[in-house]
Amino acid sequence: MTIMPAKSSPTILRAKRPPPVLICGKCLSRIKDGKKLKQALKSELKQHAAVHGGKRAKLVITGCLGICPKRAVVTASAATLGRGEYVLVEERKEVEEAVTALMNQS
């Protein structure tokens, strides 16, 4: 009879930066000026971090998130996914409001 060693429990880690912001790479490639929109999101996340103190949330390009709007990019964060929401961004002028929605914990 072989005795199996007890399973170790998973290690839990708390990051020093806010959770990442996810952005659909497929949507980003389909819209006009997707690269500029990505840069605007990154810049706005940096400004948000400067105002609220701390580090900037990383912008992570993902595969399809399954929403697929015609003329917008799907973004999400831990806060919005916890509420069951996604943030759709159509133009660069909407980026500031989108980051506020993405980083809002309530």
Side-chain angles (χ1 to χ4, degrees):
M1 180 160 86
T2 305
I3 298 177
M4 300 290 287
K7 282 189 170 184
S8 63
S9 60
T11 303
I12 297 175
L13 174 75
R14 292 209 185 265
K16 292 182 181 180
R17 67 175 62 242
V21 172
L22 309 176
I23 183 168
C24 177
K26 185 177 176 183
C27 292
L28 207 55
S29 67
R30 283 192 323 196
I31 68 161
K32 180 182 172 188
D33 293 332
K35 198 170 194 177
K36 289 181 182 179
L37 180 67
K38 177 184 151 193
Q39 287 304 111
L41 269 168
K42 212 171 184 181
S43 176
E44 189 62 36
L45 286 169
K46 188 174 182 179
Q47 289 178 5
H48 185 272
V51 169
H52 292 88
K55 293 187 176 186
R56 169 181 70 85
K58 292 284 187 178
L59 187 63
V60 178
I61 297 176
T62 66
C64 184
L65 294 171
I67 307 296
C68 302
K70 293 226 184 255
R71 291 174 293 275
V73 175
V74 179
T75 61
S77 67
T80 60
L81 289 174
R83 296 188 303 260
E85 300 172 348
Y86 295 90
V87 179
L88 303 181
V89 183
E90 291 184 33
E91 299 176 358
R92 287 175 59 192
K93 63 184 177 184
E94 298 173 347
V95 168
E96 184 178 349
E97 189 177 339
V99 168
T100 301
L102 288 164
M103 302 310 289
N104 188 3
Q105 296 295 325
S106 59

